[in-house]
Amino acid sequence: MPALILTLLLIPVFWALIVRPQQKRQRVHAMLVDSLVAGDRVEAFSGIHGTLVEVGDETVRIEVADGVVLTMARLAISTRLEDDEDGEGDDEQDDDVDQQLTGSTDGADEATATIEGEQS
């Protein structure tokens, strides 16, 4: 009898934590897919970024580079990108990364000095 009560109590918890959020994600994705129009910048679940050239009932055509057009399932689109999310115009962040890669090595020099000091 206690196992039955525990099972009956866990069903609503399972529903609230697992099933309902998944249904909400599916509804949001379906609304996104229904609202796609040519000219939108999108990202596919595979990570491919591009601009929609043509939107059909079941498929979309995405231009990923000049003259390179891919045909994908419409449901494969995961996100509509804003202009600054597509990786273009992100020069300030790129400069920071370049500076970190080629810039000062103060941290490395300090670590080397500490190691050399310990060996003495």
Side-chain angles (χ1 to χ4, degrees):
M1 189 65 166
L4 179 63
I5 293 173
L6 181 63
T7 303
L8 291 175
L9 290 175
L10 286 177
I11 289 173
V13 172
F14 178 78
W15 178 264
L17 294 177
I18 306 293
V19 175
R20 190 160 161 41
Q22 179 63 27
Q23 287 177 338
K24 184 177 179 183
R25 281 190 296 271
Q26 286 175 340
R27 272 194 304 266
V28 169
H29 183 252
M31 289 187 326
L32 168 75
V33 169
D34 289 340
S35 69
L36 293 175
V37 294
D40 285 346
R41 296 256 331 136
V42 295
E43 178 181 5
F45 281 111
S46 60
I48 296 173
H49 290 219
T51 303
L52 292 177
V53 176
E54 180 184 325
V55 179
D57 291 338
E58 298 294 322
T59 61
V60 293
R61 294 180 50 112
I62 302 174
E63 183 174 22
V64 295
D66 291 335
V68 179
V69 179
L70 303 175
T71 302
M72 302 181 86
R74 190 172 179 158
L75 291 175
I77 303 301
S78 66
T79 318
R80 179 180 294 125
L81 300 174
E82 299 298 324
D83 289 335
D84 57 350
E85 287 184 32
D86 61 6
E88 296 173 7
D90 214 6
D91 295 335
E92 186 175 313
Q93 185 178 9
D94 291 343
D95 291 342
D96 291 342
V97 171
D98 290 342
Q99 187 177 24
Q100 288 174 358
L101 293 175
T102 61
S104 68
T105 57
D106 294 340
D109 291 341
E110 291 173 11
T112 304
T114 304
I115 292 172
E116 289 174 356
E118 291 175 1
Q119 291 176 353
S120 301

